[in-house]
Structure formats: C-alpha cells, structure tokens
Amino acid sequence: MGFLSTVLGFCGFGVGISAGLVIGYSFFIYFQPSDVKDPKIRPLVDQDSETLQKMLPEIPLWVKNPDYDRVDWINKFLEYLWPYLDKAICTTAKNIAKPIIDEQIPKYKIDAVEFETLTLGSLPPTFQGMKVYVTDEKELIMEPLIKWAGNPNVTVAVKAFGLKATVQVVDLQVFALPRITLKPLVPSFPCFASIFVSLMEKPHVDFGLKLIGADLMSIPGLYRFVQELIKDQVANMYLWPKTLQVQILDPAKAFKRPVGMLHVRVVRAMKLRKKDLLGASDPYVKLKLTEDKLSSMKTTVKHKNLNPEWNEEFDIFVKDPQTQALELRVFDWEQIGKHEKMGMNVIPLKELTPEEPKVMTLELLKNMDLNDTQNEKSRGQLVVELTYKPFKEDEIPKSFEESKTVQKAPENTPDGGGVLAVIVHEAQDVEGKHHTNPYVRVLFRGEEKKTKHVKKNRDPRWEEEFLFMIDEPPINEKLHVEVLSNSSRIGLLHSKESLGYIDINLSDVVNNKRINEKYHLIDSKNGRIQIELQWRTK
Amino acid sequence: MGLISGMLMGMIFGISLMAGWRHMMRYRSTKRIAKAADIKVLGSLNRDDLKKICGDNYPEWISFPVYEQVKWLNKQLSKLWPSVAEAASAVIKESVEPLLEEYRPPGITSLKFSKLTLGTVAPKIEGIRVQSLKKGQITMDIDFRWGGDPSIILGVEAALVASIPIQLKDLQVFTVIRVIFQLAEEIPCISAVVVALLSEPKPRIDYTLKAVGGSLTAIPGISDMIDDTVNTIVTDMLQWPHRIVVPIGGIPADTSELELKPEGKLTVTVVKANDLKNMEMIGKSDPYVVVHIRPLFKVKTKVIDNNLNPVWNQTFELIAEDRETQAITVEVFDEDIGQDKRLGIAKFRLIELEPETPKEVNLSLLSSLDTLKVKDKKDRGSCTLKLLYHQFSKEEQLIALEEEKTILEERKRLKEAGVIGSTMDALDGAASLVGSGVGMVGTGIGAGVGLVGSGVGAGVGIVGSGLGAVGSGLSKAGRFMGRTITGGHSSKRSGTSTPVNSIQENGGAKPL
C-alpha cells in the first residue's frame, strides 16, 4: 500500500511539476510585457554617493589615465547620428536577411521567419578614451575604449505547424579595447593602405536571450558558460597578436612597386653641335624615367668631343611600363655656370619588347614639342641599347608583410657578407648658428655618401637609402652619421657648419637585421635623427 | 492521498522554480539596464560631475574647453602629414587652379601654380566642437591652425610683362572650419557635407609674397592684386554664409536646402555724402560710391565733380543670401586720372534691418574696415543711405532662382561662343567704365574695379564660367570625399551644387 502511495505520489509530483511550470510560466513570464524600455537616465549630480561608488568601475579611462584623450565630440557626433544609423543598419540587416531566410525555410518545413522588432535602441556606443602610440615606423596606432551598453531589441518570430515561437535578444552589452593600426602610409588618399584591428583584451559580452519570453541567460551557470564561449571564440580570432586585416588600397597601386628593370647602355653620340666658344663641347648624358622622383643618373663627361663614346650601363627600376618613358638629355659640361642643354629625346617603354635588347639611334631634339620649328635643326644623334626585364611574379613582394621584412642581398654578394642599408628618414630640431640647410653625410669604412640638401628647414625629411656592400658582418664597426649645413651664399664665413653627429654601433644591426630608431644628435641642442639600418644577407 | 500531495508538491515546486527564474531574469535585467544607464551618464561628463565623483582628488590634467582638444588627432596628423601633403597637393592644384583663373583680376593674364608642395609642418587642430543646431544635421566646428612652410610658387603673367614666378612665403591660416553633415536614414547615413569657414572669428590667411629671381615691382600693384584675388576667393566662396556643398554618393538627397540661395532683396538708395575728404590738389574731390554685398556684384553711382557734399539719390537693388551674417559695404571713391583714391569705407550689417521697413542710416566713413589698419582718427565724413530689405516669399525665391539659372546658362553659352569673358573685353569694359585703363593695373582698387568690370560690365562672364570651374573643382572634392567616406562613389551631382547663387535680378542693379 505504502509502495503504491509512493508511486502515485511520484506520479502526482511529475504531473504537478509540469502543471506548476506551465502555470508559473504563464503567470510570471508569458503575460509580462516583453518590450524594452529606455533606461531612466538620472543626471549624475542627483545621485548619492553609494550609486556613485557603484559607477566607479565603469569610469572612462580618460579620467583615470592622462595618456588617454577625451573624445566626447565623437560621442556627441554618434549620439546625433545614432537614430539614423539605427534605422539604416536595421533596414540593411532586414534586406540582407530576407532572401537568405526565404531560401532556407522550405528545407525545415517552417512557415515563416520574420523580424517582429528590430532596433538597436536609443543608446549609442560610447568611446571612453582614445590613446595613440607614436612609433618610428610608418603606421598609425590608436586604441579606443569602446563601450556599448545598449538597449537593442531584436525579436525573431518563427512560425511552424501553426505555432509561433519567438527568440528575443535584449540589452546587448559589448565592451572592447581594440587596437586599430593604419599602415602602411602611402602618398595617395586616404593615405593608408590597410587597416588592422586586433583586440587587446578579451571583450566583455552580456545580453539577454529570451526564448518565448523566458530569458535563458538568467539560468544560473548558463550565462557564464555562454559568455566564456563567446569570449574564447572571439579571442581565438582577433585577440592580439591575431589581427583582422581590411585592405583599403591595392598594394601595388598604393606603392607603385617596381615591376621590372630597365637596362640601359649609353653607347655613343654622333655629330653633336658645338656649344663652347673655344674648342668642342664636353658632353654627358642624363637619364631619367618620367614620373620617377629619383634623381637622374649621369654618364661621365667626355671632354672636347663631339662624337663621344661612353659605353656605360645603367639599371633603372620600372614601376609602370605602360605609361613611363625614358628621358635622355645630353648636356654640355661647364667648369663654371649652368650646364647647357645639347638635346634630348624620350623613349616610351611600351615600345620595347620584354627581354629583348634593342639598339636605337635617336635624333636629338630641342624639346618634345612636335611643332617647334627649332627641332628641325640637326643636333646630332645618340645611340642607346635598351633591355626591359620584367620581374617574375614571385619576385614581386605580394603583401605588405613581406615588404616589411628585410630584403635579400643581391646574388653577387660574397659568402658571409651582405649589404648594409642605411635609410636616412628625417631629423627634427636641427639648428645651425648661421644657417640651417641640412644634409646628411654617412661615413662607413671611409666611404662617404651624402643626401640632398634641404633648404632652410629645421625638420628636414630626406627618405634616402644608401647601400654598402661588405664581405663580413660589421660587428665591431661603427657608422658615422653627421648632419651638416651649407650656406647658400658662396664665399662667406661659416660656409659649412655641423649641426650634430652620431656614431651608431653596428653589432646590434647585425643581430637584429633591422633597426629603426631616433637618435639624439651629439653637439646639438635638441636635434634628433631617425635612421633605419638593415643588414641584408643572402 | 499520495497522488494529491505529490501533485500539490510538484505544482508548488514548479511554480517556485518559475518564480525563481523570473527573479533571476529581473535581477539580471535591472543590472544590465543600470550599467547601460551608468555608461550613458559617464559618456558625457562635465566638470561638476567629475568634481562630484572624484571629490578632492580631481585630476589636474582634465579641463573642459568649449572646443574639445584633440591631441591624439594632432599626433596622428603630424605622422600622416608627409603622405597627406603629397596626395593633397595634386588635388589642390587641380581644384584651385580653375578658381584662380576665374577670379583673377584682368591686369593679370595668367595665374597658375608652377610649384606646390605643402611642406613638412602639419596643421594643428586646436579643438573640435560638435553640436546639432537643426534637426537632422550635425554641425562640427574645427578650430584649424596652420603655420606651415609650404612652397607655393605662382606663375603670374601680366599683360606686356613676361611670366614671373611669385612665391607665397610664410603662409599662415587660422580659421574655424564649419562642417555640416546632413543625415539620412540610409548607409552611410550622411547624404551631404557642407564646408565653410566661419566668419566669426574671421578667417586669417597671412602670407608674404616674394618674386623669385626678380622684383615684385616688375608688375606694379601685383601684390595688391594677388591679395585681392585671394581675399575674394575666400570671402566669396568659403566664408560663411558661402559654402561648398558636397553630396555623398549613393543617396539621392535633396541638397537644395543646404545651398546658399537668394533670401531677400535689398533696395539701396545712395542719398548723399557729407564732409568728404579732399584728395585733389586743385579743386575738390570728384566722388562716386560703390556698393556691394558680395564682392563679385558691385554697383556704382555716377561721378559728381568737384563736390565734398555730393547728392546722388540713386537706387540699386542687391540680392542677399543670408541676412544673419551678410553686410552691405559702401565705398566712396574719388575719381582721378591714373588711379582712383578711396575716400572712405563703411559697413552695415543686414541683421540690423527690419524686413519691409525702410530705414535711413548715416554711416561714418573709415579709412579701412580692418580696425588694426586704421592709422588716423581723422574724420572722413559720412554717407547717407536709405535701405529697404524685402524678404523673398517662396514663389519669389523660386522666380529669382529660375531667372538666375537662365542668366547663368545664357552667360555660359556666350562664354563658350567667345563673345564675352576674354580678358580684353573685360579690360575694355572696365576701362571705359572707370575711365582709366592704366590705373587698373596699377592698384588694388584698380584690380577690384577690374573685377567688377569683367564681372558685371562685360556680362558676368566670370561667374558664368566660374560656375563650371567651381563645379569641376567641387566634383573633385566630391570624389575625394566620396572616397574617404563611402569608399568609391564619385558624385556627378556636385557640379550643380555651386555656391555661386546670387545674381542681380534683371536690370535690378545697374552694372557699373
């Protein structure tokens, strides 16, 4: 008897619990309003110290840390923009989701899936501080702290077999500290080629997920589990050092990377016209590619010769063989004064067949204007041999990542040796007593290289690269870098002045392959110079 | 018995389970909402809030200026500057050159950039203020300062003189840029951007001119002429209420609301002047008055010989675009052989006028509008004007716009046909009107008058063609904006979004 009563009791409990759940559900949950209300925002001044205490963990970073900047103007902007953004995003989301839903539902025998409500709420994300890092590399790094504690309401209704079920997402909160890196910087708008985003910390995610009105996320234990799951998923994908890369500009276009090499042999010139009053001219040839910022290359000067033979060879990087052209100008060298033009001509590179040497005899002209009558006069001829060699596909660095790593040394470097590349970027606050027309002299093993002069500038920028070929790693050697200034007037006192120098120990470069740093100049007040050193080996 | 008690127990258990769940739901929901409210409040802290939170430990480094400081943006800008400078110089060259061409004074036959690099010093953004003055618009004011070292060399060609390169040195720009975003409910949520320089504080653009390998005196008055051109371009194109409207591609939106358009008509009667200064050696000054709201549309009275208390009683009509900020400028000149001397200048703000109510004002003349430049405190006499401001109704405004359109089209056609707009025409026009061909090249006044001559006298060829040029310049700007904001939408509409909107009604104002 007791046994039967116990069994009945258990059965009754089973029935009772289901009935209780249904009653409880309908009483406590189903008939409760499920709409999302705007939270009441009380001004801070009205609040007591206890609520203020509770607020402290959420206080913006710019209050706590001086290295974070306040960006309330962006917050304000977002606030004004938010209603519009909300509508725009929701409409777009609906439009994107609709065809996908329509395609999928017949498979699952569901009648309809639709958004009952879709709104991002009235609270926009806020930026609680912005920090930027200034490095010597060509990149911009910023770290905003974004907190979105919104009141979105996304309700999806699923209808199947005459029943309707709703899934509702409410009160989504996402706090994240992303690092946004814009690099590399390029000289065409929008001035950077890619955006890299990575999270510095695991993001905080919180939300309510209501299934037919009941919030699953408030089942004890489940919320934590889901939160950890999401955090880990996101962290796997984007937590630093993993990054999300968004390409803005095409790398080849942004950089105008060389796609080939033009091999030029200046053979000789014939029947040049006499320019000097006494004796024959002293001709030399200047070569340059159009649209190239590099300074032109020169042959040697052949003194007193109107039919000079040079037989000199040059290699020029080609960035765009379709539009670029080789400019050849013959000049008359002078001891004093301006070198006189003797003639010129231009060869468009698209006239050349790749990998095929072509000998050309060019008529020298006064200028490239076809209608100029002065061009009818004979100015002599120039013989050149041209070969265009496009790089093979694998020789072109494909992405920025590759280009950042140190390049390989050329084939002909001796074993154990390599190429020391010195890139003089810029200097700041260099100042001479009498004049400031700075240029840089780089001295290594007695070999001297100079940059261009920058006129009257305390913060000159050179961006010039020098290469030194050496047989063995320069472990115990130093590189001497000196900033000098030349007076623009000739023959006065203080015609040359040193604005500061530094000696850089090269062993670090050999160990690190690449060092890019700002050095304080010795013998200068505040002068700094940014120099990049690379040790390229085979 | 067991069954019933079991059921009862089960029911109670089930209900309490649900109640517990419900409690948890409430608890978590209130917690989330409270957090959202906190973050919202903390998103816009002010000084008092911070005082309350921090108490005595108020962080010293925090201040709340009207224009919020953006140190981080400046850091980024100076880093990015070399790239920006290189990219921007091409854009500037393309978009400003046609402007220079259209606004150039007739004394100069060609005005072009021969070199333009923006230098190594990045501009500084002193502060940013964001407000919403109108529903659906966000107004962003950027306090912009640039004391740069750009290398700008203008190739200037004047009549009879070979081209000389003129360098703009020590360029300094201090201004507040107002950017208005027109919002839309479609991605990218911004349908148009309006850019203008705020007139208060007045934009300051300083530079010194230097001739490269020559002397500025090679063309007399050249520096005045260039000053005048720069000034006209800035005040007539960029300075609020004049603005540049750049529609953002993708959203077909009505931007006509944003553009500057005729708002009212000002009827000016130049009555008389009193106690003018005598500028002539023999006899007395021969005064005439030039009145304008926008420098491109000047009107002039007849000359009254030998009189220091002249009475003109001549009436003109001028179009006003923005009563809030615009002013009428009155200049009294002494007609002379050679160059005309300015006897005095005065300004009257239109905001001080009641619409539809005639008002007689007596303005005392100054030697210059720039109070820093006024050297003497000598009395320069006064000028009496009768002013009547008429606010256009919607219909009138439409009519004015239509008329303006037809006039512009007509002028464009004429310009294309080569009937007007050539420099010589403009010269002739100005010369015959002012009566001194030499003086024109000579001075700033000459240049100004020349502008009027070519602008109004010869049939506003300048404006007609200026429209096209501005349009093309803008479409470039539009392309650039489009690229940065929307990622690849150039807008053809920008051609029509020209700020040059005002023009006299037919015969309303007598051309010079």
Side-chain angles (χ1 to χ4, degrees):
Chain A
M1 203 54 199
F3 172 72
L4 190 70
S5 139
T6 320
V7 170
L8 279 175
F10 271 111
C11 288
F13 190 75
V15 175
I17 202 166
S18 18
L21 283 175
V22 170
I23 294 166
Y25 168 77
S26 52
F27 188 71
F28 287 117
I29 295 168
Y30 190 75
F31 290 109
Q32 295 294 322
S34 67
D35 54 325
V36 178
K37 274 175 256 157
D38 280 0
K40 262 187 215 147
I41 314 279
R42 280 196 299 157
L44 211 136
V45 187
D46 300 345
Q47 296 181 12
D48 51 37
S49 55
E50 204 179 311
T51 35
L52 286 182
Q53 277 297 322
K54 273 191 202 151
M55 248 184 215
L56 281 182
E58 300 301 333
I59 206 156
L61 276 179
W62 59 265
V63 181
K64 286 191 275 189
N65 306 332
D67 57 344
Y68 274 88
D69 280 309
R70 190 159 63 104
V71 282
D72 280 1
W73 62 276
I74 297 182
N75 289 337
K76 250 188 198 167
F77 195 94
L78 261 179
E79 197 184 316
Y80 295 132
L81 189 66
W82 188 247
Y84 298 87
L85 208 59
D86 177 21
K87 271 193 193 132
I89 290 174
C90 291
T91 332
T92 320
K94 268 185 195 163
N95 291 342
I96 292 173
K98 208 166 176 353
I100 300 173
I101 291 170
D102 288 346
E103 198 181 308
Q104 295 291 331
I105 49 172
K107 286 185 199 166
Y108 301 99
K109 295 188 177 161
I110 296 168
D111 297 336
V113 174
E114 59 187 21
F115 288 103
E116 259 183 9
T117 51
L118 178 62
T119 159
L120 297 177
S122 59
L123 301 175
T126 52
F127 285 83
Q128 290 207 334
M130 173 78 92
K131 185 176 180 176
V132 296
Y133 294 91
V134 177
T135 63
D136 293 333
E137 308 297 330
K138 289 200 163 216
E139 61 187 5
L140 302 180
I141 304 175
M142 44 196 160
E143 273 183 20
L145 174 62
I146 304 171
K147 287 194 175 176
W148 185 34
N151 50 348
N153 182 6
V154 183
T155 314
V156 182
V158 182
K159 279 182 197 152
F161 311 114
L163 292 169
K164 191 179 103 174
T166 56
V167 180
Q168 191 184 20
V169 178
V170 288
D171 297 339
L172 181 67
Q173 302 193 339
V174 182
F175 302 169
L177 183 64
R179 170 176 290 179
I180 300 167
T181 311
L182 309 179
K183 71 178 175 184
L185 307 182
V186 291
S188 54
F189 283 116
C191 295
F192 50 86
S194 298
I195 304 175
F196 295 82
V197 183
S198 74
L199 297 170
M200 298 316 287
E201 288 168 12
K202 283 188 182 179
H204 164 88
V205 182
D206 192 357
F207 57 90
L209 180 69
K210 288 183 180 170
L211 188 66
I212 334 178
D215 189 356
L216 293 179
M217 287 297 120
S218 58
I219 296 172
L222 185 66
Y223 158 64
R224 241 160 246 293
F225 172 73
V226 172
Q227 198 185 26
E228 284 306 311
L229 200 74
I230 293 173
K231 273 189 187 177
D232 286 345
Q233 277 300 319
V234 175
N236 268 341
M237 287 158 76
Y238 304 123
L239 194 68
W240 199 85
K242 289 199 176 73
T243 53
L244 166 77
Q245 185 185 351
V246 183
Q247 196 137 313
I248 303 289
L249 289 173
D250 181 29
K253 250 189 199 159
F255 265 115
K256 301 226 175 104
R257 202 175 288 288
V259 293
M261 177 84 86
L262 182 69
H263 191 78
V264 186
R265 200 156 68 94
V266 181
V267 187
R268 61 173 184 273
M270 286 127 18
K271 295 179 223 147
L272 292 175
R273 273 177 68 212
K274 202 176 133 180
K275 285 273 183 183
D276 286 3
L277 286 175
L278 304 166
S281 302
D282 312 315
Y284 69 94
V285 183
K286 265 192 183 178
L287 307 99
K288 188 179 175 287
L289 279 185
T290 48
E291 293 167 41
D292 216 343
K293 291 224 166 80
L294 297 170
S295 51
S296 41
M297 302 185 198
K298 286 176 208 168
T299 65
T300 51
V301 179
K302 298 283 174 198
H303 289 288
K304 306 242 154 65
N305 198 338
L306 290 179
N307 295 297
E309 278 204 35
W310 287 285
N311 263 324
E312 289 175 39
E313 299 190 2
F314 301 91
D315 284 327
I316 309 173
F317 283 110
V318 178
K319 285 170 184 165
D320 187 355
Q322 285 308 310
T323 61
Q324 282 189 307
L326 179 70
E327 250 179 49
L328 294 151
R329 292 163 189 270
V330 185
F331 282 86
D332 176 21
W333 182 86
E334 297 279 343
Q335 183 92 47
I336 309 156
K338 217 176 167 189
H339 295 191
E340 237 179 305
K341 281 179 208 157
M342 298 178 75
M344 67 169 297
N345 211 326
V346 180
I347 309 163
L349 296 188
K350 58 182 171 196
E351 288 180 10
L352 301 173
T353 333
E355 310 284 354
E356 205 173 277
K358 189 172 178 183
V359 181
M360 297 176 99
T361 309
L362 303 163
E363 208 60 47
L364 289 173
L365 305 170
K366 163 128 176 131
N367 53 29
M368 291 318 289
D369 188 354
L370 288 174
N371 301 325
D372 199 328
T373 47
Q374 280 174 300
N375 279 336
E376 284 163 22
K377 221 164 17 175
S378 165
R379 292 166 180 272
Q381 286 154 334
L382 184 68
V383 182
V384 287
E385 189 189 302
L386 303 172
T387 321
Y388 173 62
K389 286 184 181 157
F391 289 139
K392 290 182 190 79
E393 271 305 308
D394 51 340
E395 283 175 52
I396 307 170
K398 279 204 185 73
S399 74
F400 300 121
E401 288 312 302
E402 281 172 63
S403 69
K404 228 187 120 184
T405 52
V406 178
Q407 295 168 23
K408 290 264 161 30
E411 285 301 311
N412 53 358
T413 30
D415 287 331
V419 172
L420 177 73
V422 180
I423 304 159
V424 182
H425 285 294
E426 56 177 13
Q428 275 153 8
D429 271 336
V430 287
E431 194 176 8
K433 270 203 192 85
H434 308 280
H435 44 78
T436 311
N437 305 317
Y439 69 94
V440 177
R441 195 171 72 112
V442 179
L443 200 67
F444 178 71
R445 286 192 177 172
E447 207 177 326
E448 191 194 69
K449 310 239 169 147
K450 284 179 188 169
T451 66
K452 268 189 272 183
H453 292 246
V454 178
K455 260 191 199 168
K456 283 192 190 161
N457 201 325
R458 289 164 50 94
D459 307 306
R461 181 181 296 276
W462 295 283
E463 308 287 354
E464 284 184 51
E465 184 179 289
F466 304 108
L467 302 174
F468 298 94
M469 184 101 66
I470 15 183
D471 298 340
E472 70 225 41
I475 295 177
N476 295 317
E477 282 170 273
K478 279 182 178 174
L479 180 80
H480 181 78
V481 179
E482 190 170 8
V483 185
L484 295 157
S485 168
N486 252 355
S487 173
S488 45
R489 275 167 289 191
I490 311 157
L492 282 172
L493 281 173
H494 319 293
S495 67
K496 202 173 192 179
E497 214 180 301
S498 171
L499 308 181
Y501 71 92
I502 36 150
D503 289 321
I504 304 168
N505 229 327
L506 293 177
S507 59
D508 289 344
V509 182
V510 175
N511 289 335
N512 288 304
K513 296 282 184 207
R514 174 178 182 274
I515 285 184
N516 181 13
E517 243 174 284
K518 270 198 182 112
Y519 300 91
H520 279 272
L521 289 166
I522 303 169
D523 282 351
S524 163
K525 229 181 178 177
N526 295 318
R528 275 156 295 152
I529 186 162
Q530 187 188 347
I531 295 199
E532 183 177 337
L533 297 165
Q534 290 180 2
W535 173 241
R536 298 174 185 167
T537 48
K538 263 201 261 188
Chain B
M1 190 58 206
L3 181 76
I4 292 169
S5 65
M7 270 173 79
L8 210 67
M9 288 276 286
M11 211 131 100
I12 292 165
F13 187 74
I15 290 173
S16 54
L17 206 66
M18 272 306 178
W21 192 358
R22 154 115 178 115
H23 178 74
M24 276 305 285
M25 270 169 74
R26 275 233 173 126
Y27 169 71
R28 291 211 2 103
S29 166
T30 41
K31 223 172 115 179
R32 277 195 302 256
I33 288 170
K35 203 169 198 173
D38 285 358
I39 283 168
K40 165 84 185 168
V41 167
L42 291 170
S44 53
L45 286 175
N46 59 33
R47 208 189 145 75
D48 293 336
D49 297 341
L50 213 56
K51 262 248 142 77
K52 186 149 190 213
I53 296 174
C54 301
D56 294 335
N57 304 320
Y58 184 81
E60 301 286 334
W61 61 83
I62 293 171
S63 59
F64 292 88
V66 179
Y67 283 88
E68 198 178 312
Q69 290 199 340
V70 279
K71 281 180 213 145
W72 62 278
L73 208 62
N74 285 325
K75 275 185 207 160
Q76 302 288 48
L77 197 61
S78 56
K79 181 100 197 193
L80 197 63
W81 184 244
S83 308
V84 174
E86 209 177 321
S89 43
V91 175
I92 292 176
K93 206 169 166 174
E94 277 178 61
S95 54
V96 177
E97 219 159 51
L99 269 181
L100 282 178
E101 182 59 27
E102 293 317 322
Y103 276 87
R104 87 185 135 80
I108 295 171
T109 50
S110 159
L111 193 58
K112 281 202 165 71
F113 288 116
S114 45
K115 195 183 164 201
L116 180 89
T117 51
L118 294 176
T120 55
V121 183
K124 281 252 150 25
I125 293 171
E126 208 57 35
I128 293 182
R129 173 174 65 175
V130 172
Q131 42 190 342
S132 184
L133 299 176
K134 217 179 191 182
K135 205 176 160 356
Q137 283 183 0
I138 302 177
T139 307
M140 189 195 268
D141 293 339
I142 303 165
D143 190 348
F144 178 89
R145 294 174 193 193
W146 188 34
D149 57 343
S151 170
I152 301 171
I153 298 178
L154 291 167
V156 181
E157 268 174 48
L160 310 171
V161 186
S163 163
I164 55 162
I166 290 183
Q167 194 183 3
L168 245 72
K169 282 185 75 181
D170 308 323
L171 182 74
Q172 291 190 318
V173 180
F174 301 96
T175 180
V176 178
I177 303 171
R178 167 160 285 186
V179 186
I180 301 175
F181 299 90
Q182 176 74 42
L183 302 177
E185 288 178 358
E186 252 176 89
I187 288 194
C189 291
I190 293 166
S191 61
V193 179
V194 179
V195 184
L197 307 181
L198 272 195
S199 51
E200 227 31 76
K202 211 171 154 34
R204 231 186 84 200
I205 298 173
D206 291 343
Y207 50 86
T208 47
L209 293 171
K210 193 188 148 198
V212 183
S215 166
L216 269 183
T217 47
I219 308 177
I222 186 99
S223 60
D224 283 332
M225 269 192 251
I226 291 174
D227 281 353
D228 208 68
T229 313
V230 171
N231 224 340
T232 316
I233 291 177
V234 171
T235 50
D236 205 57
M237 283 276 316
L238 294 170
Q239 193 176 320
W240 188 264
H242 306 280
R243 74 273 314 256
I244 293 174
V245 182
V246 185
I248 304 284
I251 306 175
D254 183 24
T255 56
S256 62
E257 273 292 297
L258 300 170
E259 277 161 35
L260 194 63
K261 48 179 168 278
E263 202 181 66
K265 185 173 72 181
L266 183 73
T267 314
V268 190
T269 310
V270 182
V271 185
K272 59 176 181 174
N274 286 324
D275 307 321
L276 292 174
K277 204 175 153 189
N278 195 356
M279 288 289 219
E280 303 224 357
M281 299 284 219
I282 312 151
K284 297 190 182 106
S285 296
D286 311 320
Y288 68 93
V289 178
V290 174
V291 184
H292 69 91
I293 291 177
R294 290 181 61 179
L296 270 185
F297 303 103
K298 294 188 179 181
V299 286
K300 190 192 140 198
T301 65
K302 59 179 186 274
V303 180
I304 294 181
D305 282 344
N306 236 352
N307 198 336
L308 292 182
N309 297 300
V311 178
W312 290 283
N313 261 326
Q314 268 180 284
T315 305
F316 308 99
E317 279 176 0
L318 294 172
I319 299 296
E321 287 90 9
D322 188 73
R323 196 162 72 92
E324 307 273 315
T325 57
Q326 280 184 324
I328 177 169
T329 309
V330 183
E331 288 172 283
V332 184
F333 288 98
D334 169 28
E335 196 207 42
D336 210 340
I337 303 156
Q339 58 198 56
D340 293 3
K341 294 193 196 84
R342 188 161 75 190
L343 296 173
I345 186 166
K347 216 171 190 173
F348 187 78
R349 292 167 61 87
L350 299 186
I351 190 80
E352 291 169 46
L353 291 174
E354 286 285 324
E356 323 298 339
T357 336
K359 187 171 179 176
E360 188 167 313
V361 289
N362 192 23
L363 303 170
S364 48
L365 298 167
L366 303 166
S367 60
S368 167
L369 282 177
D370 190 345
T371 44
L372 289 174
K373 276 189 191 161
V374 177
K375 284 173 210 143
D376 52 62
K377 283 185 179 160
K378 256 185 267 172
D379 189 29
R380 288 176 164 263
S382 64
C383 182
T384 309
L385 301 176
K386 262 191 211 153
L387 301 169
L388 170 64
Y389 182 77
H390 168 67
Q391 187 97 32
F392 280 149
S393 64
K394 270 260 152 30
E395 291 77 40
E396 281 175 308
Q397 193 173 36
L398 280 178
I399 293 166
L401 265 173
E402 274 307 306
E403 265 172 15
E404 180 185 299
K405 235 180 236 166
T406 50
I407 292 167
L408 284 174
E409 263 161 28
E410 181 74 359
R411 269 168 204 151
K412 209 168 193 176
R413 203 178 54 77
L414 283 171
K415 163 92 180 179
E416 269 158 20
V419 179
I420 55 161
S422 81
T423 318
M424 269 326 284
D425 278 347
L427 270 171
D428 283 343
S432 60
L433 290 160
V434 181
S436 62
V438 195
M440 261 204 349
V441 192
T443 59
I445 296 167
V449 174
L451 248 177
V452 180
S454 54
V456 182
V460 205
I462 253 179
V463 179
S465 51
L467 195 71
V470 172
S472 70
L474 275 176
S475 64
K476 256 157 223 147
R479 228 169 288 153
F480 154 40
M481 296 298 296
R483 210 186 309 166
T484 45
I485 297 174
T486 62
H489 258 291
S490 98
S491 171
K492 285 188 186 107
R493 285 175 53 90
S494 54
T496 59
S497 64
T498 332
V500 186
N501 257 342
S502 93
I503 245 157
Q504 289 99 329
E505 278 178 294
N506 309 350
K510 233 160 111 196
L512 271 181

